[in-house]
Amino acid sequence: ATCNDASAAAPSGLASPAPRQPFVIGVCGGTASGKTTVCDMIIQQLHDHRVVLVNQDSFYRGLTEEESEHVEEYNFDHPDAFDTDQLLECMGKLKSGQSVNIPIYDFKNHRRCSESFRKVNVSDVIILEGILVFHDQRVRDLMDMKIFVDTDADIRLARRIRRDTVERGRDVLSVLEQYGRFVKPAFDDFILPSKKYADVIIPRGGDNHVAIDLIAQHICTKLGQHDLCKLYPNVCVVQTTFQI
Ligand code: ADP
Ligand code: C5P
């Protein structure tokens, strides 16, 4: 499924378009549940629109020297591991139509790159993905749509072992140790309880093509309404009155 830009046909004689706010989608789920994969599949289907992906991981606090010396003691799955105020500031700017510089996080040395940033431009849709994006109410309040990616824990652990050993410079034993000590307890304490805030739950993540098609269709419909209402508020009010 793909969609076209519904804002193209402008009724003649109307005032110039009002600036529109981007449509914000939150994508939450446990580690290696397929959040990024689902986001990429949604983005592919929304290719007629400007879509940006913001990862909560980018807002991990860098470790201090002391914390780095005992990295195995550090809980990367606790909400305090993220700089949520900075995330809110960046999302607020993006929502109000300003481009932002987002930090780049290095999972191998647990630090932010000090010299480089990722510039994120103004867009029609912002997708914010991460393990704890539904935890803080201020972050949830930014979202127009909330999706939870629900994948079995054994599958997630298997993927995590493969990914962390291949891409994040870890060994199998340290992944298992971290999983039992921090990742699983934090999933039970913070991530699973936040599932109740989801509008849509996707079982099996990126394998669930039907769910992703339905979500993409819904976003297209919302973008159509969004575009028309933002561009021509009076027209939308008149239409709504007729419908009632
Ligand atoms: P998350 O963003 O939730 O951590 P990712 O989408 O990055 O999850 O996926 C984690 C790992 O699992 C990646 O290596 C990815 O290639 C793999 N993966 C994701 N979805 C699937 C799938 N449906 N089948 C097989 N491997 C998958
Ligand atoms: O991509 P994913 O959602 O799995 O990323 C979140 C995970 O990254 C967390 O479960 C956390 O344990 C892990 N992480 C890590 N090392 C870091 C930062 C995060 O293992 N330096």
Side-chain angles (χ1 to χ4, degrees), residues 3-9 20 48-50 124 223-224 227-228 231:
C3 62
N4 295 313
D5 193 336
S7 65
R20 59 180 167 184
D48 291 327
H49 293 272
R50 296 174 302 171
D124 303 317
L223 282 177
D227 285 345
L228 285 176
L231 286 165

Side-chain angles (χ1 to χ4, degrees), residues 29-32 35-36 57 60 76-77 105-107 110 129-131 160 163-164 168 170 178 183:
T31 182
K35 299 181 292 298
T36 311
D57 292 345
Y60 266 117
F76 290 103
D77 292 77
Y105 187 73
D106 180 347
F107 284 92
H110 320 284
E129 93 44 53
I131 53 170
R160 168 112 179 199
R163 182 194 63 193
D164 284 10
R168 295 188 180 175
R170 316 286 167 88
Q178 183 189 11
V183 181

Side-chain angles (χ1 to χ4, degrees), residues 69-231:
E69 281 166 25
H70 308 283
V71 71
E72 66 289 347
E73 306 285 325
Y74 194 87
N75 188 350
F76 290 103
D77 292 77
H78 191 278
D80 292 347
F82 297 94
D83 186 344
T84 301
D85 288 338
Q86 191 185 18
L87 167 75
L88 283 164
E89 192 188 329
C90 284
M91 288 297 292
K93 282 188 179 162
L94 274 177
K95 253 198 122 162
S96 67
Q98 298 172 58
S99 57
V100 289
N101 283 327
I102 289 187
I104 296 173
Y105 187 73
D106 180 347
F107 284 92
K108 287 190 177 157
N109 66 21
H110 320 284
R111 294 234 171 86
R112 292 176 177 190
C113 290
S114 51
E115 302 96 43
S116 37
F117 291 88
R118 180 168 75 102
K119 187 174 182 202
V120 176
N121 289 317
V122 178
S123 61
D124 303 317
V125 181
I126 305 168
I127 307 183
L128 174 62
E129 93 44 53
I131 53 170
L132 288 165
V133 290
F134 292 171
H135 177 73
D136 188 311
Q137 189 187 341
R138 296 169 302 166
V139 181
R140 287 199 306 274
D141 286 346
L142 294 167
M143 298 168 184
D144 299 299
M145 181 184 188
K146 301 184 203 69
I147 298 170
F148 191 93
V149 182
D150 201 4
T151 303
D152 290 346
D154 54 351
I155 294 177
R156 292 193 291 104
L157 176 57
R159 286 183 190 162
R160 168 112 179 199
I161 293 169
R162 187 180 294 121
R163 182 194 63 193
D164 284 10
T165 51
V166 174
E167 294 171 22
R168 295 188 180 175
R170 316 286 167 88
D171 61 64
V172 177
L173 275 183
S174 76
V175 177
L176 292 175
E177 174 83 21
Q178 183 189 11
Y179 188 85
R181 190 164 171 199
F182 297 120
V183 181
K184 183 176 162 51
F187 180 81
D188 294 337
D189 291 347
F190 302 114
I191 303 173
L192 198 53
S194 76
K195 186 173 160 180
K196 63 175 176 278
Y197 299 114
D199 302 305
V200 185
I201 295 166
I202 311 186
R204 307 181 307 283
D207 291 337
N208 194 335
H209 293 265
V210 174
I212 290 160
D213 282 356
L214 286 170
I215 288 166
Q217 285 291 346
H218 178 75
I219 298 166
C220 287
T221 308
K222 283 286 167 196
L223 282 177
Q225 292 170 0
H226 199 62
D227 285 345
L228 285 176
C229 289
K230 290 283 174 190
L231 286 165

